[in-house]
């Protein structure tokens, strides 16, 4: 498993999820490789044998010479025995926790209660700021702006020493790394053509996620769209299966020139959702979200599983 450390060179149009990253990587690969090679790569995803899987962008912090990697706060049952209600209320607002804390609070009920009560989670907040940026609508025929026609976009800015990372795994991670080199120059996400979503990065071995003996579940680190057999299996493990849903209606992006840019709406399992383990190499699948003539557009619904043992 590889960790890709992302160093933003600009703000990003909202948080970048795994589906957006994958879509950008796929189109970067279309520019880099031959048509035959590209079609083979895409078909591997469609037929559920992905050459690599990716997480969403997640926050990190540089602390002196080391990097603190944050993980989504796990969507596990909260034990509230003896916890002050105000502490519990504040903890529920937390979105990310340091990776070391994740493996602590999932060990047992007692460890979770002690962690929340001690308020250690307050020491490692992610320093990011979301701003609504005002824009003028441009008259494309006459030039200049249209009076009274304002609109707003949401942009995310990161504080000093804070950055992003994504996790990468699979049999051919070099494909994604080559695509990221292309995207670091051309940008990723909304408004990349006007300077948003630009970054530099480096690649390292992932050493902050330990190999867990006898795991009984996994936390998802990407947007995840399960297959029917996976969903049926999960429903049999209600004591573990705990999730949050995320509905997304994406656009086709700047690489296409469709009259209708909207894709079909898809509901994913969100990052931080918890699932029982199955004997599978990969979870999830790609979903066709738009068709225009012979051209099919897909979204990425492969899970990026973080395996662990959930104590009770």
């Amino acid at each position: 498993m590889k960790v890709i450390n992302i160093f933003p060179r600009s703000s990003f149009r909202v948080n970048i999820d795994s589906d957006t990253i994958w879509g950008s990587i796929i189109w970067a690969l279309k520019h880099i490789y031959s048509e035959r090679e590209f079609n083979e790569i895409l078909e591997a995803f469609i037929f559920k044998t992905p050459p690599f899987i990716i997480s969403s962008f997640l926050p990190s912090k540089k602390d002196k010479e080391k990097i603190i990697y944050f993980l989504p706060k796990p969507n596990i049952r909260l034990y509230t025995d003896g916890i002050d209600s105000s502490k519990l209320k504040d903890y529920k607002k937390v979105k990310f926790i340091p990776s070391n804390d994740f493996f602590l609070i999932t060990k047992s009920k007692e460890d979770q209660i002690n962690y929340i009560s001690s308020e250690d989670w307050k020491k490692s907040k992610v320093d990011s700021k979301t701003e609504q940026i005002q824009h003028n609508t441009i008259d494309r025929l006459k030039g200049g702006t249209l009076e009274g026609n304002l609109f707003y976009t949401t942009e995310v800015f990161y504080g000093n020493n804070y950055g992003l990372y994504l996790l990468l795994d699979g049999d051919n991670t070099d494909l994604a790394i080559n695509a990221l080199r292309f995207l670091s120059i051309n940008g990723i996400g909304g408004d990349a053509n006007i300077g948003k979503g630009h970054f530099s990065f480096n690649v390292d071995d992932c050493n902050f996620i330990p190999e867990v003996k006898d795991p009984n579940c996994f936390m998802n680190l990407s947007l995840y769209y399960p297959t029917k057999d996976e969903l049926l299996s999960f429903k049999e493990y209600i004591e573990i299966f705990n999730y949050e849903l995320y509905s997304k209606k994406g656009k086709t992006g700047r690489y296409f020139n469709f009259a209708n840019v909207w894709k079909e709406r898809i509901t994913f399992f969100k990052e931080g959702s918890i699932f029982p383990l199955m004997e599978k190499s990969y979870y999830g699948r790609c979903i066709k979200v738009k068709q225009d003539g012979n051209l099919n557009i897909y979204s990425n619904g492969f899970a990026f599983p973080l395996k662990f043992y959930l104590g009770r």
Side-chain angles (χ1 to χ4, degrees):
M1 186 188 303
K2 301 292 185 182
V3 57
I4 313 295
N5 296 299
I6 304 291
F7 309 105
R9 289 180 169 174
S10 67
S11 62
F12 286 81
R13 278 284 306 276
V14 304
N15 296 312
I16 307 295
D17 59 51
S18 56
D19 177 44
T20 299
I21 299 168
W22 180 84
S24 298
I25 285 175
I26 287 297
W27 279 103
L29 293 174
K30 188 174 178 64
H31 284 82
I32 297 170
Y33 292 94
S34 69
E35 183 176 357
R36 179 186 59 81
E37 291 171 316
F38 170 75
N39 287 335
E40 289 175 354
I41 295 168
L42 183 58
E43 286 175 2
F45 281 102
I46 294 170
F47 293 108
K48 303 176 187 175
T49 55
F52 60 84
I53 54 173
I54 54 172
S55 72
S56 297
F57 275 178
L58 299 168
S60 63
K61 177 185 178 182
K62 187 172 183 181
D63 184 16
K64 296 180 181 178
E65 295 303 315
K66 74 172 184 177
I67 297 178
I68 298 173
Y69 294 98
F70 292 84
L71 292 170
K73 185 179 71 176
N75 205 324
I76 57 177
R77 176 186 173 186
L78 285 180
Y79 297 98
T80 60
D81 302 355
I83 300 178
D84 181 85
S85 59
S86 62
K87 292 181 181 179
L88 190 61
K89 183 179 180 181
D90 288 341
Y91 177 73
K92 287 181 177 180
K93 297 177 184 177
V94 172
K95 294 183 179 180
F96 299 97
I97 59 174
S99 57
N100 288 341
D101 293 358
F102 170 84
F103 292 100
L104 173 66
I105 66 173
T106 55
K107 282 171 58 177
S108 68
K109 169 183 174 180
E110 291 74 21
D111 286 314
Q112 183 195 104
I113 291 173
N114 290 335
Y115 177 72
I116 298 174
S117 298
S118 69
E119 297 187 293
D120 285 345
W121 42 273
K122 283 190 173 181
K123 300 175 184 177
S124 301
K125 287 186 176 181
V126 176
D127 184 15
S128 65
K129 188 175 183 180
T130 301
E131 293 280 357
Q132 294 290 319
I133 307 298
Q134 178 180 300
H135 301 268
N136 293 307
T137 302
I138 304 298
D139 187 331
R140 301 296 180 186
L141 296 177
K142 298 180 180 179
T145 61
L146 291 172
E147 185 177 350
N149 284 265
L150 302 176
F151 67 96
Y152 295 83
T153 59
T154 303
E155 297 183 17
V156 181
F157 298 81
Y158 292 88
N160 292 334
N161 298 323
Y162 283 83
L164 298 163
Y165 76 96
L166 66 87
L167 294 174
L168 177 63
D169 204 2
D171 295 330
N172 198 343
T173 56
D174 284 344
L175 287 174
I177 293 170
N178 290 340
L180 286 169
R181 292 191 182 101
F182 178 93
L183 294 171
S184 68
I185 300 169
N186 292 276
I188 189 170
D191 287 344
N193 57 328
I194 58 171
K196 308 299 179 184
H198 288 238
F199 59 94
S200 59
F201 72 95
N202 64 30
V203 183
D204 205 351
D205 291 326
C206 180
N207 55 18
F208 64 91
I209 295 179
E211 185 173 347
V212 178
K213 185 179 181 180
D214 299 325
N216 61 355
C217 59
F218 72 88
M219 181 173 75
N220 185 47
L221 299 180
S222 63
L223 295 184
Y224 169 34
Y225 191 90
T227 62
K228 289 183 179 180
D229 66 299
E230 290 166 359
L231 194 56
L232 289 173
S233 178
F234 295 156
K235 290 179 178 179
E236 296 178 5
Y237 296 86
I238 301 301
E239 71 280 6
I240 290 178
F241 185 32
N242 208 348
Y243 59 88
E244 185 178 350
L245 297 177
Y246 174 71
S247 182
K248 179 177 181 181
K249 187 177 178 69
K251 293 183 178 181
T252 52
R254 68 186 190 272
Y255 302 108
F256 295 101
N257 190 27
F258 295 140
N260 177 15
V261 299
W262 292 103
K263 304 175 186 177
E264 292 181 18
R265 183 176 295 278
I266 299 293
T267 299
F268 296 92
F269 285 117
K270 202 173 186 306
E271 302 94 339
S273 298
I274 308 295
F275 307 92
L277 281 178
M278 298 173 63
E279 293 184 4
K280 300 189 71 170
S281 299
Y282 299 103
Y283 296 83
R285 63 187 180 90
C286 281
I287 321 102
K288 185 167 71 174
V289 291
K290 189 176 180 63
Q291 184 172 5
D292 188 275
N294 294 324
L295 181 61
N296 295 323
I297 308 297
Y298 293 88
S299 282
N300 175 43
F302 282 101
F304 195 103
L306 188 162
K307 299 177 183 179
F308 69 102
Y309 181 82
L310 180 61
R312 296 173 178 81

